[in-house]
Amino acid sequence: MKKLLFVSLLGLALAGCGDKSSSDTEGKKDGGESKSDDKKSSHSSAGLDGLREGNGNVSLGGTFHLAEEEPYTTLFPQAIEDLNSSKMANQIYEGLVKYNPSTLELEPAVAESYELSADGTEFTFKIRKGVKFHDNDCFEGGKGRELTANDVKYSIELMCSGDNTMAKSNFENTYLSTLEGAAAYNSGQADNISGVEVIDDYTLKLKLNAAHTSFIYKLALTPTAVIAKEAYEKYGSEIKVGSGPFKYVSETADGVVMARNENYYGKDADGNQLPYMDTVVFHFIDNKSEQVEMFENGQLHVLNGLPAESAAEIIQEKIDEYEGAPPVKISQFEPELACQYYEFNMTRKHFKDARVRKAFNYAVDRNKIIENVLYNQAHMSGNYGITPPVKILKDYPFDSIANYGYEYNPELAKELMAEAGYPNGEGFPTLELVINSGGNMHNKVAKEVTKQLRSVLGVEVNLAVVPFKQKLEDAKYGKADMFRGAWVADYPDPETFLTNFYGKNVPASLDEPSHPNTTRYKNATFDKYFEAALKSTDKESRYDNFFNAEKTMLMDPPIMVLWYAEDYKLYYSYVRNYAPNALQYLDLSRVYLKVWEKNEWVDAH
């Protein structure tokens, strides 16, 4: 019933918009059409009725439906630390630059262009004229005003202010040691950030302490989005007002509705104003079987992270829908720049000894987990480091890293535990492993890991399943022995993974949160190489230093790398410009719905 309540809410939100999908999907969800009507019902229930023709070959209007297993934790960009929140917030806000979802190359956003000084330390951004914040009561007359360079300055200062509504880690990983004057401003030693200079309404300069190769990529991340002072002063951390392609409309416990920003600056080559879609709906559905059912009934346009145990069955049952020219549905299966692992709480006495942590790594049969639990839904087992071996990082020395990774070796695991003083687990405490709810896969993997640790090492592990938001908080404050961890790259560079182990940002007290280094790992050698990589201006030197940092971490492991992600993604063929990518970066501004003509499909493919 939760789903039907939400569809009713969506109908209210779209009243007068000419969209028929909400009433259609509610009826067809429970209608039980015959198999012969599958194709027709999928098309009509997915909102293809009532679309408008745009210039060129696009259609306008309609509602795009997709699902996430977990609700967002916040839509306040400066405080976002998780992927689900980022996906939703990226539709509402924009920063100076953003990613092209198809190529993962940077492209202009709020800034129409930028220049970098010869020494790599000074960026000059030209702010796009005519960018407006969403209409909202926080602005005079309820009309969104124009965004200027002063808003960019305000947003940077807000993140650097030390306000407790911010995520401290976002400041530390983006500006603290990189942007000139950020540290002094944060500590209260300066009234402004010397490295931020507003030249005029449309020109902004950012001065760095030293050249930093990945800094420009960080300006494409959600926490560096531009917000308005009026919006933050009115709503605080509950802010949901930006300048992005979609506006926040409403929500229930079942999902969020966003509507087209009619004042968005973007236009396509044919003069159509972006975004093409009228509405976007993020459904919150933690049951994958329910997601599958909704997708098959045309109530979701996209199905991400298809359950491995049913992937082949789902496709094979309706194989004709995935063949043909054009097909009804498209399946995509490719490696992601993502890693799944378990974290050790390095503040716990029993994990101080590296031999124990190595023993845990050797005691886990990753291939068995992939074959028997994940049903081969993984790119490969975690025998390398935390940086996934994918082609987008083809120049990184993965073959060398593999020499320091961990494969199943139960005899060596037992030997190491005995050397550490815990033969057959004798005297070792019962551990608590915290995982997040949302999808049964996490639970199945955890049960298999704990079973293997008991069998090989004689170690008992109790499992605690909590909501995702609580898992994040528990990990940041080190409230258990072990935590399920996962990291999806923010940008295509090893830095985004290895920053999880940089020790100099770890607070001295457990009363203070530690993120993203939730293991509270401290290793001076790792930090030395990591810092050297950040200062490297050529790729070869940068990768060499990152390799040495990762090697150091693997020889003193604060984590157990389990596998590298590779998921099925299913979507209807008429969903145009939808671009799954290795970063799971989502930009729906150019997505539109239009059924392919056969000749058109053949010519395009």
Side-chain angles (χ1 to χ4, degrees), residues 503-525:
K504 291 189 177 179
N505 290 336
V506 175
S509 171
L510 280 171
D511 293 332
E512 296 182 61
S514 183
H515 189 276
N517 189 347
T518 46
T519 64
R520 299 186 181 241
Y521 177 74
K522 294 182 181 180
N523 185 305
T525 303

Side-chain angles (χ1 to χ4, degrees), residues 107-319:
E107 61 183 25
V110 168
E112 63 183 6
S113 65
Y114 72 89
E115 295 180 357
L116 180 61
S117 62
D119 65 357
T121 65
E122 188 172 276
F123 289 85
T124 302
F125 293 93
K126 297 301 294 183
I127 306 303
R128 191 187 302 272
K129 294 182 179 180
V131 177
K132 291 187 176 182
F133 289 110
H134 301 158
D135 290 347
N136 189 272
D137 290 342
C138 67
F139 299 112
E140 184 177 352
K143 296 293 184 181
R145 62 167 176 80
E146 186 177 33
L147 182 154
T148 71
N150 283 298
D151 294 300
V152 184
K153 179 175 183 286
Y154 172 78
S155 301
I156 295 173
E157 288 178 341
L158 189 62
M159 188 191 290
C160 297
S161 67
D163 187 316
N164 61 12
T165 62
M166 311 291 142
K168 182 182 178 184
S169 62
N170 289 331
F171 161 65
E172 292 175 340
N173 295 327
T174 308
Y175 297 127
L176 174 60
S177 60
T178 307
L179 182 63
E180 181 186 279
Y185 183 79
N186 176 260
S187 64
Q189 299 176 30
D191 295 330
N192 57 73
I193 302 173
S194 59
V196 181
E197 181 183 0
V198 173
I199 306 301
D200 55 45
D201 281 351
Y202 305 106
T203 311
L204 178 83
K205 285 191 176 183
L206 298 182
K207 176 73 173 177
L208 309 186
N209 291 317
H212 194 295
T213 306
S214 63
F215 180 74
I216 188 63
Y217 290 98
K218 294 179 181 181
L219 297 182
L221 304 183
T222 313
T224 57
V226 182
I227 64 174
K229 182 178 181 180
E230 298 96 318
Y232 183 68
E233 288 183 343
K234 182 176 179 65
Y235 300 112
S237 61
E238 296 301 312
I239 183 176
K240 299 179 179 70
V241 181
S243 61
F246 292 95
K247 302 180 294 185
Y248 173 91
V249 174
S250 60
E251 68 180 273
T252 69
D254 302 322
V256 171
V257 178
M258 299 180 188
R260 180 176 185 268
N261 173 14
E262 63 276 10
N263 295 319
Y264 187 59
Y265 65 84
K267 290 187 177 181
D268 68 12
D270 293 310
N272 294 297
Q273 186 180 7
L274 302 175
Y276 298 126
M277 305 292 301
D278 282 339
T279 318
V280 170
V281 181
F282 287 89
H283 300 263
F284 302 149
I285 307 170
D286 63 1
N287 186 308
K288 272 297 181 183
S289 296
E290 186 176 350
Q291 287 191 25
V292 170
E293 182 182 2
M294 290 182 68
F295 177 75
E296 292 295 338
N297 284 317
Q299 293 174 292
L300 294 177
H301 289 100
V302 174
L303 184 60
N304 286 314
L306 187 66
E309 63 268 27
S310 57
E313 179 182 349
I314 290 171
I315 294 174
Q316 285 300 320
E317 279 186 355
K318 297 183 178 180
I319 189 64

Side-chain angles (χ1 to χ4, degrees), residues 338-340 364-371 374 376-389 402 405-408 560-566:
C339 180
Q340 297 276 346
V364 175
D365 188 342
R366 295 157 177 81
N367 290 326
K368 185 176 181 180
I369 293 172
I370 290 174
E371 291 171 8
L374 301 179
N376 294 310
Q377 187 188 356
H379 175 44
M380 62 176 64
S381 63
N383 297 336
Y384 293 82
I386 191 173
T387 307
Y406 293 88
E407 295 186 358
Y408 182 52
M560 290 193 298
V561 179
L562 297 177
W563 75 89
Y564 309 107
E566 184 175 50

Side-chain angles (χ1 to χ4, degrees), residues 345 348-352 356 360 417 420-433 453-454 457-462 480-482:
N345 183 344
R348 298 294 167 99
K349 180 180 178 181
H350 39 274
F351 283 139
K352 294 290 187 181
V356 172
F360 274 57
M417 281 294 278
Y422 306 106
N424 300 315
E426 295 174 12
F428 200 80
T430 298
L431 303 178
E432 182 182 36
L433 167 63
L453 292 175
R454 183 187 308 113
L457 301 179
V459 172
E460 293 294 331
V461 182
N462 292 331
D481 301 284
M482 298 173 64

Side-chain angles (χ1 to χ4, degrees), residues 573-585:
S573 64
Y574 54 78
V575 177
R576 308 282 191 105
N577 289 345
Y578 177 68
N581 55 68
L583 298 184
Q584 296 190 37
Y585 177 80

